[in-house]
Amino acid sequence: MVSDTVSEAYFPHELRPREAHEPEQSVDVAVTVVGQLRIARIGWGAEVAVRSDHPGAYGINVPLGGVLETTVAGRTVVSTSGLATVNPPDMPSDITRWSSGCTIVGVKIARDLVQREAVRISGDTDAQIPGQVDLSRPEAASWFRLVRSVATQPADDPLLANPLVADQLAASLTDAFLLAALPGPEAVGAPRPRIVTRVLDAMRADPARAWTAGDMAEVAGVSVRRLQEGFREYVGKTPRECLTDLRLRGVYDELAAGASDSVTDIAIRWGFTHSGRFASAFRKRYGLTPSQVMRET
């Protein structure tokens, strides 16, 4: 079945034709694998609707023509040529309309790779990637040209088969995407002072600790005020906001992975001691309740 071929090339999904013409009659699929990243060209040749949870990876869909209408967490994004829809990992995405004339270039990037590179280049423990990226911006246009260039390589290309080359190229393509997509491009890529990296590393190592401003300043070896200034300048958030982001992401990842523990136990393990504030922050960040994330897995 052609739908199975697309699932193997890109993401597992549920396909629903929206017209009498069956997509299997004229589907167009091609894929290029680059380490933890893959580039797929997909066209159904018929108007369809598609649902996917994008397990473990971001899915960046760029229409080459036609219309792509996608709803994630109650928010609808309509992309045409020159716009990219960003589907977050492990969240239900409904493409309610994939028009018959729409062929996409889809870029699948492992969630862990995106998170690692986002921290490395921006210092953000939970960078918020927008749901749509304008490819007319120079950085985004350059990234997409690079993606399409890599996609032209033959499937048996010996360099792409070499893990040393593939892993570095995947990281470079991910960095280029983040530089194009993340807000505040003037801050992205700026070198982070040691006072910031020390505290971020310490919080990642022990997120459940009852961190105080004094604890963080002691790790950094500076005053609380200097620490706050450093985070605002180089991260754009306070240390406390970064800690909350880190904890929320930890809880979300456990829930999305099908953890058997209760939501309360998982939240406590990540340092949340007030259930009401945790639930409110979680819903604000992800547009879903913790229980809804558990049910989706």
Side-chain angles (χ1 to χ4, degrees), residues 110-193:
R111 178 191 61 209
D112 293 345
L113 176 58
V114 172
Q115 291 176 351
R116 185 191 76 200
E117 294 304 303
V119 170
R120 190 177 70 81
I121 68 174
S122 73
D124 197 339
T125 56
D126 190 19
Q128 295 301 293
I129 300 173
Q132 189 175 62
V133 176
D134 184 355
L135 297 181
S136 68
R137 294 180 53 244
E139 299 92 342
S142 180
W143 167 76
F144 191 51
R145 284 196 299 271
L146 183 57
V147 165
R148 299 199 71 178
S149 175
V150 172
T152 64
Q153 301 304 310
D156 59 351
D157 187 292
L159 286 180
L160 294 186
N162 186 318
L164 292 176
V165 175
D167 290 346
Q168 291 187 43
L169 182 54
S172 295
L173 287 168
T174 302
D175 290 347
F177 171 71
L178 292 170
L179 288 167
L182 291 178
E186 68 281 356
V188 174
R192 290 176 286 149

Side-chain angles (χ1 to χ4, degrees), residues 252-272:
Y252 180 90
D253 287 347
E254 283 205 40
L255 295 175
S260 58
D261 294 338
S262 69
V263 171
T264 299
D265 288 343
I266 295 171
I268 291 174
R269 185 157 62 240
W270 282 90
F272 290 105

